[in-house]
Amino acid sequence: MTSSNPLEIAQLGAEVLRLTAMPVENISAPETQQIITLMLETLSQSEGVGIAAPQLHVNQRIIVIASRPTKRYPYAPSMPATVMINPCITAHSEQQEKDWEGCLSIPGIRALVPRYIDIEATYIDLKGEPQSTRLTGFPARVFQHEYDHLDGLVYLDRVTDSRDIISETEFFKRLA
Ligand code: NI
């Protein structure tokens, strides 16, 4: 499905990316369902592997994780797009690992970001049912990246050495 009027993705500097998002109170509300539809649409039209509602200017705790190989992330493992409402991290590995991240809100840049390798999380699904999940590796990284958006953080805030920030052009040269 394509939208004739796709919502503009909030870019770094937009205030909404720096706010703490509010918990969703009514999952069946038309506004909630509409933003979820837009998030799924935006993901399918972009080469992203995840998105958070604040990136579409909606200050609500909703993320979509959609790890799959795309031009932006050719090595990403495939998993079905998963909508997570009011997500929480309930446990994580002690160990972190650095790997490359980018963000639709920060075009043209990639950076090495330390993230927990394993996480356990709870969330409410599209039907309003509570769910729990365990994620490892790349999907765990995507979750932590999107979750940060709900707390007003972007991945550059997690970078430990500014030398770990490179242009996307250089990133794709390294992949080749
Ligand atoms: Ni992002």
Side-chain angles (χ1 to χ4, degrees), residues 21-27 29-37 39-40 50-56 58-65 82-87 123-126 143 146-147 149-151:
M22 309 288 289
V24 176
E25 310 239 325
N26 184 356
I27 286 154
E31 307 88 77
T32 308
Q33 296 298 317
Q34 192 189 12
I35 182 61
I36 291 169
T37 302
M39 289 168 76
L40 291 168
I51 194 164
Q55 293 183 278
L56 293 181
V58 172
N59 192 29
Q60 297 268 302
R61 301 187 79 82
I62 309 171
I63 61 176
V64 180
I65 309 297
T82 307
V83 176
M84 299 179 173
I85 299 161
N86 299 341
Y123 62 93
I124 308 292
D125 71 14
L126 271 177
F143 180 99
E146 302 310 334
Y147 183 89
H149 278 301
L150 304 182
D151 286 338

Side-chain angles (χ1 to χ4, degrees), residues 9 39-40 42-51 55 64-73 76 102-104 110 138 142 146:
I9 294 172
M39 289 168 76
L40 291 168
T42 304
L43 265 189
S44 68
Q45 286 172 30
S46 66
E47 299 289 328
V49 291
I51 194 164
Q55 293 183 278
V64 180
I65 309 297
S67 179
R68 66 209 154 115
T70 68
K71 263 182 259 163
R72 284 174 59 79
Y73 298 94
C103 181
L104 295 171
R110 297 291 177 116
F138 190 77
V142 175
E146 302 310 334

Side-chain angles (χ1 to χ4, degrees), residues 147-162:
Y147 183 89
D148 270 355
H149 278 301
L150 304 182
D151 286 338
L153 294 171
V154 299
Y155 74 94
L156 294 177
D157 302 327
R158 302 276 188 197
V159 169
T160 53
D161 181 343
S162 57

